[in-house]
PDB file of all heavy atoms in Angstrom:
ATOM      1  N   ASN A   1       5.278  10.799  11.108  1.00 90.00           N
ATOM      2  CA  ASN A   1       3.936  11.377  11.217  1.00 90.00           C
ATOM      3  C   ASN A   1       3.250  11.256   9.779  1.00 90.00           C
ATOM      4  O   ASN A   1       2.240  11.918   9.571  1.00 90.00           O
ATOM      5  CB  ASN A   1       3.854  12.749  11.733  1.00 90.00           C
ATOM      6  CG  ASN A   1       4.815  13.680  10.929  1.00 90.00           C
ATOM      7  OD1 ASN A   1       5.386  13.305   9.965  1.00 90.00           O
ATOM      8  ND2 ASN A   1       4.832  14.893  11.318  1.00 90.00           N
ATOM      9  N   TRP A   2       3.957  10.550   8.841  1.00 91.00           N
ATOM     10  CA  TRP A   2       3.295  10.507   7.439  1.00 91.00           C
ATOM     11  C   TRP A   2       2.708   9.104   7.261  1.00 91.00           C
ATOM     12  O   TRP A   2       3.265   8.147   7.495  1.00 91.00           O
ATOM     13  CB  TRP A   2       4.462  10.705   6.397  1.00 91.00           C
ATOM     14  CG  TRP A   2       3.914  10.545   4.993  1.00 91.00           C
ATOM     15  CD1 TRP A   2       3.183  11.543   4.338  1.00 91.00           C
ATOM     16  CD2 TRP A   2       4.077   9.382   4.112  1.00 91.00           C
ATOM     17  NE1 TRP A   2       2.907  11.078   3.003  1.00 91.00           N
ATOM     18  CE2 TRP A   2       3.398   9.685   2.941  1.00 91.00           C
ATOM     19  CE3 TRP A   2       4.642   8.137   4.305  1.00 91.00           C
ATOM     20  CZ2 TRP A   2       3.342   8.851   1.865  1.00 91.00           C
ATOM     21  CZ3 TRP A   2       4.653   7.289   3.276  1.00 91.00           C
ATOM     22  CH2 TRP A   2       4.067   7.640   2.026  1.00 91.00           C
ATOM     23  N   CYS A   3       1.406   9.180   6.956  1.00 91.00           N
ATOM     24  CA  CYS A   3       0.564   7.936   6.759  1.00 91.00           C
ATOM     25  C   CYS A   3      -0.108   8.036   5.371  1.00 91.00           C
ATOM     26  O   CYS A   3      -0.994   8.862   5.163  1.00 91.00           O
ATOM     27  CB  CYS A   3      -0.508   7.801   7.844  1.00 91.00           C
ATOM     28  SG  CYS A   3       0.220   7.711   9.519  1.00 91.00           S
ATOM     29  N   PRO A   4       0.264   7.233   4.443  1.00 90.00           N
ATOM     30  CA  PRO A   4      -0.313   7.328   3.064  1.00 90.00           C
ATOM     31  C   PRO A   4      -1.778   6.797   3.108  1.00 90.00           C
ATOM     32  O   PRO A   4      -2.201   5.921   3.782  1.00 90.00           O
ATOM     33  CB  PRO A   4       0.507   6.433   2.228  1.00 90.00           C
ATOM     34  CG  PRO A   4       1.072   5.428   3.182  1.00 90.00           C
ATOM     35  CD  PRO A   4       1.326   6.240   4.486  1.00 90.00           C
ATOM     36  N   ASN A   5      -2.644   7.364   2.297  1.00 84.00           N
ATOM     37  CA  ASN A   5      -3.965   6.971   2.065  1.00 84.00           C
ATOM     38  C   ASN A   5      -4.156   6.397   0.529  1.00 84.00           C
ATOM     39  O   ASN A   5      -3.459   6.777  -0.307  1.00 84.00           O
ATOM     40  CB  ASN A   5      -5.037   8.077   2.257  1.00 84.00           C
ATOM     41  CG  ASN A   5      -4.896   8.602   3.695  1.00 84.00           C
ATOM     42  OD1 ASN A   5      -5.099   7.707   4.591  1.00 84.00           O
ATOM     43  ND2 ASN A   5      -4.899   9.825   3.980  1.00 84.00           N
ATOM     44  N   ASN A   6      -5.223   5.622   0.362  1.00 79.00           N
ATOM     45  CA  ASN A   6      -5.585   5.100  -0.906  1.00 79.00           C
ATOM     46  C   ASN A   6      -6.387   6.207  -1.631  1.00 79.00           C
ATOM     47  O   ASN A   6      -6.958   7.073  -0.971  1.00 79.00           O
ATOM     48  CB  ASN A   6      -6.231   3.741  -0.868  1.00 79.00           C
ATOM     49  CG  ASN A   6      -5.253   2.702  -0.421  1.00 79.00           C
ATOM     50  OD1 ASN A   6      -4.096   2.697  -0.967  1.00 79.00           O
ATOM     51  ND2 ASN A   6      -5.649   1.836   0.500  1.00 79.00           N
ATOM     52  N   TYR A   7      -6.690   6.033  -2.864  1.00 72.00           N
ATOM     53  CA  TYR A   7      -7.597   6.798  -3.609  1.00 72.00           C
ATOM     54  C   TYR A   7      -8.964   6.973  -2.968  1.00 72.00           C
ATOM     55  O   TYR A   7      -9.454   8.099  -2.960  1.00 72.00           O
ATOM     56  CB  TYR A   7      -7.644   6.247  -5.053  1.00 72.00           C
ATOM     57  CG  TYR A   7      -8.491   7.122  -6.017  1.00 72.00           C
ATOM     58  CD1 TYR A   7      -8.061   8.420  -6.433  1.00 72.00           C
ATOM     59  CD2 TYR A   7      -9.804   6.790  -6.346  1.00 72.00           C
ATOM     60  CE1 TYR A   7      -8.830   9.193  -7.294  1.00 72.00           C
ATOM     61  CE2 TYR A   7     -10.609   7.548  -7.173  1.00 72.00           C
ATOM     62  CZ  TYR A   7     -10.046   8.823  -7.616  1.00 72.00           C
ATOM     63  OH  TYR A   7     -10.833   9.590  -8.447  1.00 72.00           O
ATOM     64  N   GLY A   8      -9.532   5.815  -2.509  1.00 72.00           N
ATOM     65  CA  GLY A   8     -10.954   5.856  -1.923  1.00 72.00           C
ATOM     66  C   GLY A   8     -10.853   6.203  -0.404  1.00 72.00           C
ATOM     67  O   GLY A   8     -11.966   5.999   0.178  1.00 72.00           O
ATOM     68  N   ARG A   9      -9.718   6.485   0.157  1.00 76.00           N
ATOM     69  CA  ARG A   9      -9.584   6.816   1.583  1.00 76.00           C
ATOM     70  C   ARG A   9     -10.020   5.555   2.361  1.00 76.00           C
ATOM     71  O   ARG A   9     -10.578   5.846   3.547  1.00 76.00           O
ATOM     72  CB  ARG A   9     -10.478   7.973   1.971  1.00 76.00           C
ATOM     73  CG  ARG A   9     -10.132   9.271   1.182  1.00 76.00           C
ATOM     74  CD  ARG A   9      -8.918  10.014   1.699  1.00 76.00           C
ATOM     75  NE  ARG A   9      -8.587  11.155   0.996  1.00 76.00           N
ATOM     76  CZ  ARG A   9      -7.632  11.918   1.252  1.00 76.00           C
ATOM     77  NH1 ARG A   9      -6.884  11.732   2.340  1.00 76.00           N
ATOM     78  NH2 ARG A   9      -7.337  12.993   0.523  1.00 76.00           N
ATOM     79  N   SER A  10      -9.830   4.424   1.948  1.00 84.00           N
ATOM     80  CA  SER A  10     -10.172   3.193   2.749  1.00 84.00           C
ATOM     81  C   SER A  10      -9.147   2.161   2.425  1.00 84.00           C
ATOM     82  O   SER A  10      -8.299   2.328   1.739  1.00 84.00           O
ATOM     83  CB  SER A  10     -11.592   2.616   2.293  1.00 84.00           C
ATOM     84  OG  SER A  10     -11.543   2.325   0.984  1.00 84.00           O
ATOM     85  N   TYR A  11      -9.282   0.930   3.231  1.00 90.00           N
ATOM     86  CA  TYR A  11      -8.316  -0.138   3.142  1.00 90.00           C
ATOM     87  C   TYR A  11      -9.029  -1.330   2.732  1.00 90.00           C
ATOM     88  O   TYR A  11     -10.191  -1.595   3.124  1.00 90.00           O
ATOM     89  CB  TYR A  11      -7.577  -0.235   4.493  1.00 90.00           C
ATOM     90  CG  TYR A  11      -6.794   0.992   4.903  1.00 90.00           C
ATOM     91  CD1 TYR A  11      -7.433   1.841   5.903  1.00 90.00           C
ATOM     92  CD2 TYR A  11      -5.702   1.307   4.404  1.00 90.00           C
ATOM     93  CE1 TYR A  11      -6.742   2.891   6.303  1.00 90.00           C
ATOM     94  CE2 TYR A  11      -5.016   2.405   4.842  1.00 90.00           C
ATOM     95  CZ  TYR A  11      -5.488   3.196   5.773  1.00 90.00           C
ATOM     96  OH  TYR A  11      -4.955   4.415   6.117  1.00 90.00           O
ATOM     97  N   ALA A  12      -8.387  -2.100   1.701  1.00 90.00           N
ATOM     98  CA  ALA A  12      -9.066  -3.276   1.155  1.00 90.00           C
ATOM     99  C   ALA A  12      -8.676  -4.621   1.855  1.00 90.00           C
ATOM    100  O   ALA A  12      -9.201  -5.615   1.434  1.00 90.00           O
ATOM    101  CB  ALA A  12      -8.609  -3.303  -0.287  1.00 90.00           C
ATOM    102  N   GLY A  13      -7.832  -4.549   2.815  1.00 93.00           N
ATOM    103  CA  GLY A  13      -7.548  -5.855   3.493  1.00 93.00           C
ATOM    104  C   GLY A  13      -6.476  -6.669   2.676  1.00 93.00           C
ATOM    105  O   GLY A  13      -5.700  -6.089   1.934  1.00 93.00           O
ATOM    106  N   SER A  14      -6.604  -8.015   2.855  1.00 95.00           N
ATOM    107  CA  SER A  14      -5.632  -8.894   2.270  1.00 95.00           C
ATOM    108  C   SER A  14      -5.978  -9.144   0.814  1.00 95.00           C
ATOM    109  O   SER A  14      -7.127  -9.302   0.405  1.00 95.00           O
ATOM    110  CB  SER A  14      -5.511 -10.211   3.008  1.00 95.00           C
ATOM    111  OG  SER A  14      -5.037  -9.916   4.387  1.00 95.00           O
ATOM    112  N   MET A  15      -4.943  -9.400  -0.067  1.00 96.00           N
ATOM    113  CA  MET A  15      -5.067  -9.660  -1.419  1.00 96.00           C
ATOM    114  C   MET A  15      -3.816 -10.180  -1.952  1.00 96.00           C
ATOM    115  O   MET A  15      -2.770  -9.886  -1.404  1.00 96.00           O
ATOM    116  CB  MET A  15      -5.657  -8.469  -2.213  1.00 96.00           C
ATOM    117  CG  MET A  15      -4.523  -7.304  -2.251  1.00 96.00           C
ATOM    118  SD  MET A  15      -5.179  -5.686  -2.779  1.00 96.00           S
ATOM    119  CE  MET A  15      -5.959  -5.207  -1.238  1.00 96.00           C
ATOM    120  N   PRO A  16      -3.797 -10.862  -3.174  1.00 96.00           N
ATOM    121  CA  PRO A  16      -2.548 -11.240  -3.908  1.00 96.00           C
ATOM    122  C   PRO A  16      -1.830  -9.879  -4.326  1.00 96.00           C
ATOM    123  O   PRO A  16      -2.441  -8.908  -4.603  1.00 96.00           O
ATOM    124  CB  PRO A  16      -3.049 -12.084  -5.102  1.00 96.00           C
ATOM    125  CG  PRO A  16      -4.410 -12.465  -4.656  1.00 96.00           C
ATOM    126  CD  PRO A  16      -4.976 -11.423  -3.844  1.00 96.00           C
ATOM    127  N   LEU A  17      -0.480  -9.985  -4.506  1.00 96.00           N
ATOM    128  CA  LEU A  17       0.208  -8.891  -4.930  1.00 96.00           C
ATOM    129  C   LEU A  17      -0.191  -8.357  -6.370  1.00 96.00           C
ATOM    130  O   LEU A  17      -0.183  -7.145  -6.605  1.00 96.00           O
ATOM    131  CB  LEU A  17       1.757  -9.198  -4.979  1.00 96.00           C
ATOM    132  CG  LEU A  17       2.737  -8.096  -5.148  1.00 96.00           C
ATOM    133  CD1 LEU A  17       2.727  -7.187  -3.944  1.00 96.00           C
ATOM    134  CD2 LEU A  17       4.124  -8.663  -5.400  1.00 96.00           C
ATOM    135  N   THR A  18      -0.567  -9.253  -7.170  1.00 96.00           N
ATOM    136  CA  THR A  18      -1.033  -8.821  -8.455  1.00 96.00           C
ATOM    137  C   THR A  18      -2.263  -7.875  -8.429  1.00 96.00           C
ATOM    138  O   THR A  18      -2.299  -6.927  -9.182  1.00 96.00           O
ATOM    139  CB  THR A  18      -1.406 -10.068  -9.304  1.00 96.00           C
ATOM    140  OG1 THR A  18      -0.337 -10.963  -9.510  1.00 96.00           O
ATOM    141  CG2 THR A  18      -2.044  -9.753 -10.683  1.00 96.00           C
ATOM    142  N   VAL A  19      -3.235  -8.276  -7.521  1.00 95.00           N
ATOM    143  CA  VAL A  19      -4.327  -7.406  -7.357  1.00 95.00           C
ATOM    144  C   VAL A  19      -3.957  -6.043  -6.813  1.00 95.00           C
ATOM    145  O   VAL A  19      -4.488  -5.040  -7.198  1.00 95.00           O
ATOM    146  CB  VAL A  19      -5.335  -8.097  -6.378  1.00 95.00           C
ATOM    147  CG1 VAL A  19      -6.565  -7.216  -6.168  1.00 95.00           C
ATOM    148  CG2 VAL A  19      -5.858  -9.373  -7.061  1.00 95.00           C
ATOM    149  N   ALA A  20      -2.966  -6.045  -5.868  1.00 95.00           N
ATOM    150  CA  ALA A  20      -2.565  -4.786  -5.187  1.00 95.00           C
ATOM    151  C   ALA A  20      -2.042  -3.917  -6.247  1.00 95.00           C
ATOM    152  O   ALA A  20      -2.192  -2.599  -6.310  1.00 95.00           O
ATOM    153  CB  ALA A  20      -1.498  -4.991  -4.181  1.00 95.00           C
ATOM    154  N   LEU A  21      -1.192  -4.391  -7.327  1.00 96.00           N
ATOM    155  CA  LEU A  21      -0.701  -3.580  -8.257  1.00 96.00           C
ATOM    156  C   LEU A  21      -1.854  -2.994  -9.196  1.00 96.00           C
ATOM    157  O   LEU A  21      -1.877  -1.886  -9.668  1.00 96.00           O
ATOM    158  CB  LEU A  21       0.385  -4.301  -9.051  1.00 96.00           C
ATOM    159  CG  LEU A  21       1.093  -3.614 -10.233  1.00 96.00           C
ATOM    160  CD1 LEU A  21       1.758  -2.260  -9.667  1.00 96.00           C
ATOM    161  CD2 LEU A  21       2.148  -4.402 -10.845  1.00 96.00           C
ATOM    162  N   ALA A  22      -2.645  -4.044  -9.627  1.00 94.00           N
ATOM    163  CA  ALA A  22      -3.769  -3.608 -10.559  1.00 94.00           C
ATOM    164  C   ALA A  22      -4.696  -2.571  -9.951  1.00 94.00           C
ATOM    165  O   ALA A  22      -5.180  -1.696 -10.756  1.00 94.00           O
ATOM    166  CB  ALA A  22      -4.590  -4.811 -10.947  1.00 94.00           C
ATOM    167  N   LYS A  23      -4.901  -2.622  -8.686  1.00 92.00           N
ATOM    168  CA  LYS A  23      -5.836  -1.632  -8.006  1.00 92.00           C
ATOM    169  C   LYS A  23      -5.106  -0.432  -7.593  1.00 92.00           C
ATOM    170  O   LYS A  23      -5.695   0.467  -7.006  1.00 92.00           O
ATOM    171  CB  LYS A  23      -6.501  -2.394  -6.806  1.00 92.00           C
ATOM    172  CG  LYS A  23      -7.384  -3.537  -7.165  1.00 92.00           C
ATOM    173  CD  LYS A  23      -8.545  -3.159  -8.111  1.00 92.00           C
ATOM    174  CE  LYS A  23      -9.447  -4.389  -8.446  1.00 92.00           C
ATOM    175  NZ  LYS A  23     -10.532  -4.031  -9.405  1.00 92.00           N
ATOM    176  N   SER A  24      -3.753  -0.412  -7.765  1.00 92.00           N
ATOM    177  CA  SER A  24      -2.904   0.624  -7.356  1.00 92.00           C
ATOM    178  C   SER A  24      -2.976   1.106  -5.826  1.00 92.00           C
ATOM    179  O   SER A  24      -3.258   2.229  -5.533  1.00 92.00           O
ATOM    180  CB  SER A  24      -3.163   1.924  -8.216  1.00 92.00           C
ATOM    181  OG  SER A  24      -2.085   2.807  -8.173  1.00 92.00           O
ATOM    182  N   ILE A  25      -2.900   0.097  -5.046  1.00 94.00           N
ATOM    183  CA  ILE A  25      -2.954   0.266  -3.592  1.00 94.00           C
ATOM    184  C   ILE A  25      -1.691   0.995  -3.116  1.00 94.00           C
ATOM    185  O   ILE A  25      -0.623   0.637  -3.336  1.00 94.00           O
ATOM    186  CB  ILE A  25      -3.136  -1.052  -2.812  1.00 94.00           C
ATOM    187  CG1 ILE A  25      -4.283  -1.880  -3.365  1.00 94.00           C
ATOM    188  CG2 ILE A  25      -3.109  -0.867  -1.343  1.00 94.00           C
ATOM    189  CD1 ILE A  25      -5.695  -1.135  -3.057  1.00 94.00           C
ATOM    190  N   ASN A  26      -1.861   2.186  -2.383  1.00 93.00           N
ATOM    191  CA  ASN A  26      -0.723   2.983  -2.046  1.00 93.00           C
ATOM    192  C   ASN A  26       0.073   2.495  -0.870  1.00 93.00           C
ATOM    193  O   ASN A  26       1.262   2.754  -0.700  1.00 93.00           O
ATOM    194  CB  ASN A  26      -1.281   4.440  -1.682  1.00 93.00           C
ATOM    195  CG  ASN A  26      -1.529   5.278  -2.869  1.00 93.00           C
ATOM    196  OD1 ASN A  26      -0.927   5.036  -3.968  1.00 93.00           O
ATOM    197  ND2 ASN A  26      -2.303   6.291  -2.728  1.00 93.00           N
ATOM    198  N   THR A  27      -0.594   1.772   0.079  1.00 95.00           N
ATOM    199  CA  THR A  27       0.171   1.337   1.234  1.00 95.00           C
ATOM    200  C   THR A  27       1.226   0.201   0.972  1.00 95.00           C
ATOM    201  O   THR A  27       2.178   0.070   1.691  1.00 95.00           O
ATOM    202  CB  THR A  27      -0.759   0.908   2.327  1.00 95.00           C
ATOM    203  OG1 THR A  27      -1.560  -0.272   1.843  1.00 95.00           O
ATOM    204  CG2 THR A  27      -1.776   2.051   2.676  1.00 95.00           C
ATOM    205  N   ILE A  28       0.995  -0.540  -0.075  1.00 96.00           N
ATOM    206  CA  ILE A  28       1.858  -1.662  -0.340  1.00 96.00           C
ATOM    207  C   ILE A  28       3.279  -1.246  -0.783  1.00 96.00           C
ATOM    208  O   ILE A  28       4.177  -1.857  -0.149  1.00 96.00           O
ATOM    209  CB  ILE A  28       1.277  -2.601  -1.467  1.00 96.00           C
ATOM    210  CG1 ILE A  28      -0.218  -3.086  -1.052  1.00 96.00           C
ATOM    211  CG2 ILE A  28       2.057  -3.673  -1.724  1.00 96.00           C
ATOM    212  CD1 ILE A  28      -0.264  -3.781   0.312  1.00 96.00           C
ATOM    213  N   PRO A  29       3.513  -0.247  -1.609  1.00 96.00           N
ATOM    214  CA  PRO A  29       4.791   0.101  -1.931  1.00 96.00           C
ATOM    215  C   PRO A  29       5.580   0.654  -0.701  1.00 96.00           C
ATOM    216  O   PRO A  29       6.786   0.453  -0.609  1.00 96.00           O
ATOM    217  CB  PRO A  29       4.668   1.255  -3.020  1.00 96.00           C
ATOM    218  CG  PRO A  29       3.378   0.863  -3.646  1.00 96.00           C
ATOM    219  CD  PRO A  29       2.502   0.398  -2.526  1.00 96.00           C
ATOM    220  N   VAL A  30       4.849   1.331   0.241  1.00 96.00           N
ATOM    221  CA  VAL A  30       5.444   1.794   1.392  1.00 96.00           C
ATOM    222  C   VAL A  30       5.980   0.649   2.276  1.00 96.00           C
ATOM    223  O   VAL A  30       6.985   0.576   2.825  1.00 96.00           O
ATOM    224  CB  VAL A  30       4.507   2.764   2.151  1.00 96.00           C
ATOM    225  CG1 VAL A  30       5.190   3.270   3.523  1.00 96.00           C
ATOM    226  CG2 VAL A  30       4.160   3.937   1.267  1.00 96.00           C
ATOM    227  N   GLN A  31       5.034  -0.420   2.429  1.00 96.00           N
ATOM    228  CA  GLN A  31       5.321  -1.582   3.191  1.00 96.00           C
ATOM    229  C   GLN A  31       6.548  -2.287   2.513  1.00 96.00           C
ATOM    230  O   GLN A  31       7.479  -2.778   3.209  1.00 96.00           O
ATOM    231  CB  GLN A  31       4.106  -2.527   3.265  1.00 96.00           C
ATOM    232  CG  GLN A  31       2.977  -2.051   3.983  1.00 96.00           C
ATOM    233  CD  GLN A  31       1.820  -2.952   4.076  1.00 96.00           C
ATOM    234  OE1 GLN A  31       2.058  -4.253   4.268  1.00 96.00           O
ATOM    235  NE2 GLN A  31       0.589  -2.525   3.823  1.00 96.00           N
ATOM    236  N   MET A  32       6.641  -2.266   1.154  1.00 97.00           N
ATOM    237  CA  MET A  32       7.745  -2.897   0.522  1.00 97.00           C
ATOM    238  C   MET A  32       9.068  -2.151   0.832  1.00 97.00           C
ATOM    239  O   MET A  32      10.064  -2.863   1.033  1.00 97.00           O
ATOM    240  CB  MET A  32       7.537  -2.853  -1.011  1.00 97.00           C
ATOM    241  CG  MET A  32       6.488  -3.837  -1.507  1.00 97.00           C
ATOM    242  SD  MET A  32       6.194  -3.656  -3.307  1.00 97.00           S
ATOM    243  CE  MET A  32       5.462  -5.233  -3.630  1.00 97.00           C
ATOM    244  N   SER A  33       9.134  -0.873   0.843  1.00 96.00           N
ATOM    245  CA  SER A  33      10.300  -0.179   1.181  1.00 96.00           C
ATOM    246  C   SER A  33      10.758  -0.503   2.523  1.00 96.00           C
ATOM    247  O   SER A  33      12.085  -0.645   2.846  1.00 96.00           O
ATOM    248  CB  SER A  33      10.028   1.295   1.119  1.00 96.00           C
ATOM    249  OG  SER A  33       9.172   1.835   2.092  1.00 96.00           O
ATOM    250  N   ILE A  34       9.912  -0.673   3.550  1.00 96.00           N
ATOM    251  CA  ILE A  34      10.277  -1.177   4.810  1.00 96.00           C
ATOM    252  C   ILE A  34      10.742  -2.489   4.850  1.00 96.00           C
ATOM    253  O   ILE A  34      11.835  -2.842   5.439  1.00 96.00           O
ATOM    254  CB  ILE A  34       9.070  -0.955   5.885  1.00 96.00           C
ATOM    255  CG1 ILE A  34       8.603   0.437   5.960  1.00 96.00           C
ATOM    256  CG2 ILE A  34       9.353  -1.485   7.212  1.00 96.00           C
ATOM    257  CD1 ILE A  34       7.350   0.689   6.696  1.00 96.00           C
ATOM    258  N   ALA A  35      10.160  -3.501   4.144  1.00 96.00           N
ATOM    259  CA  ALA A  35      10.570  -4.818   4.010  1.00 96.00           C
ATOM    260  C   ALA A  35      11.958  -4.968   3.480  1.00 96.00           C
ATOM    261  O   ALA A  35      12.732  -5.775   3.896  1.00 96.00           O
ATOM    262  CB  ALA A  35       9.510  -5.625   3.256  1.00 96.00           C
ATOM    263  N   ILE A  36      12.215  -4.193   2.423  1.00 97.00           N
ATOM    264  CA  ILE A  36      13.559  -4.254   1.787  1.00 97.00           C
ATOM    265  C   ILE A  36      14.539  -3.887   2.847  1.00 97.00           C
ATOM    266  O   ILE A  36      15.592  -4.535   2.820  1.00 97.00           O
ATOM    267  CB  ILE A  36      13.591  -3.308   0.553  1.00 97.00           C
ATOM    268  CG1 ILE A  36      12.661  -3.849  -0.499  1.00 97.00           C
ATOM    269  CG2 ILE A  36      14.986  -3.248   0.058  1.00 97.00           C
ATOM    270  CD1 ILE A  36      12.401  -2.918  -1.740  1.00 97.00           C
ATOM    271  N   GLY A  37      14.332  -2.791   3.550  1.00 96.00           N
ATOM    272  CA  GLY A  37      15.274  -2.317   4.559  1.00 96.00           C
ATOM    273  C   GLY A  37      15.501  -3.343   5.753  1.00 96.00           C
ATOM    274  O   GLY A  37      16.636  -3.599   6.079  1.00 96.00           O
ATOM    275  N   LYS A  38      14.396  -3.980   6.168  1.00 95.00           N
ATOM    276  CA  LYS A  38      14.513  -4.936   7.200  1.00 95.00           C
ATOM    277  C   LYS A  38      15.181  -6.272   6.775  1.00 95.00           C
ATOM    278  O   LYS A  38      15.803  -6.943   7.584  1.00 95.00           O
ATOM    279  CB  LYS A  38      13.106  -5.332   7.757  1.00 95.00           C
ATOM    280  CG  LYS A  38      12.462  -4.286   8.538  1.00 95.00           C
ATOM    281  CD  LYS A  38      11.206  -4.592   9.146  1.00 95.00           C
ATOM    282  CE  LYS A  38      10.586  -3.593  10.148  1.00 95.00           C
ATOM    283  NZ  LYS A  38       9.318  -4.033  10.825  1.00 95.00           N
ATOM    284  N   ALA A  39      15.260  -6.436   5.472  1.00 95.00           N
ATOM    285  CA  ALA A  39      15.969  -7.656   4.940  1.00 95.00           C
ATOM    286  C   ALA A  39      17.375  -7.480   5.182  1.00 95.00           C
ATOM    287  O   ALA A  39      18.161  -8.556   5.023  1.00 95.00           O
ATOM    288  CB  ALA A  39      15.657  -7.950   3.502  1.00 95.00           C
TER     289      ALA A  39
END
């Protein structure tokens, strides 16, 4: 029941990983933790 939000309470859609880090998108690290486990 935990769903992270971004600073602006919105979602930016698709982007290169570099942009996601520069913009500090919160959902991407959570997706990464899931992807590491699924690997």
Side-chain angles (χ1 to χ4, degrees):
N1 59 0
W2 178 77
C3 304
N5 292 313
N6 291 317
Y7 180 76
R9 303 280 179 179
S10 61
Y11 300 99
S14 298
M15 68 193 77
L17 191 66
T18 298
V19 175
L21 182 58
K23 300 298 183 182
S24 198
I25 304 299
N26 279 340
T27 63
I28 302 304
V30 179
Q31 294 180 47
M32 285 180 164
S33 68
I34 297 172
I36 294 172
K38 286 187 175 181

